[in-house]
Amino acid sequence: MAHTLATAPIMILNGPNLDLLGQRQPEIYGSESLADIEALCTETAARHGGTVDFRQSNHEGELIDWVHEARLHHAGIVINPAAYSHTSVALLDALNACDGLPVIEVHISNIHRREQFRHHSYVSLRADGVIAGCGVQGYAFGVQRVAALAG
Ligand code: DQA
């Protein structure tokens, strides 16, 4: 049975190098840290009566294991796959195994205004919505959208 915000947390997944947010290329990704984003997501989910399970990994397989976990135990997924967006068929396959689960893809930067290799995202082939170029606020939009889809 599908989870709602009342019965399960939203899984928020962050891919490689996002642990360095605030220090890494601040001219592109801004000065806020991943801890700041977690606080924003927690606050946004709470306004919708929900909670978040906020994680980051530099390892593709770990992200895939967490998608499998979300498939059974979470109300939806907000994912910033970072560079794996552009490379990972395995992550796409994992998301494709999540029938009916709301999935929102977030990118802090506008990937379409950047290098050509960032214009394509495998994850977008499964995502119900894609937010790019809204800075860290994109995570709040993602949480709001999962809340709307999951109920
Ligand atoms: C990113 C964009 C990706 O192209 C890049 O590899 C990242 C972050 C973003 O949030 O803008 O690491 O997903």
Side-chain angles (χ1 to χ4, degrees):
M1 206 188 71
H3 285 292
T4 66
L5 252 59
T7 61
I10 299 172
M11 181 72 100
I12 308 206
L13 297 180
N14 294 279
N17 304 305
L18 293 174
D19 51 330
L20 298 179
L21 275 181
Q23 305 164 52
R24 167 198 185 209
Q25 297 183 283
E27 68 287 1
I28 295 175
Y29 299 114
S31 58
E32 284 170 279
S33 68
L34 202 59
D36 295 329
I37 296 175
E38 179 170 5
L40 173 67
C41 291
T42 302
E43 198 180 288
T44 308
R47 271 194 268 116
H48 293 271
T51 59
V52 301
D53 200 345
F54 192 93
R55 305 184 192 181
Q56 188 275 332
S57 179
N58 293 324
H59 305 277
E60 188 174 10
E62 187 161 41
L63 291 163
I64 290 166
D65 287 343
W66 290 343
V67 169
H68 292 182
E69 191 182 330
R71 177 178 171 269
L72 298 177
H73 302 296
H74 291 74
I77 300 176
V78 174
I79 183 166
N80 183 345
Y84 289 140
S85 318
H86 319 303
T87 62
S88 183
V89 175
L91 194 53
L92 170 64
D93 284 350
L95 290 165
N96 275 336
C98 300
D99 290 336
L101 192 72
V103 175
I104 302 296
E105 177 181 357
V106 173
H107 299 282
I108 295 168
S109 65
N110 181 357
I111 53 174
H112 301 290
R113 207 168 67 176
R114 300 182 63 193
E115 302 96 322
Q116 186 79 35
F117 66 84
R118 296 186 201 275
H119 296 182
H120 177 263
S121 164
Y122 286 102
V123 169
S124 296
L125 295 170
R126 165 60 179 85
D128 297 296
V130 182
I131 299 158
C134 295
V136 300
Q137 204 184 358
Y139 283 82
F141 298 152
V143 167
Q144 285 170 30
R145 187 62 186 155
V146 167
L149 293 171

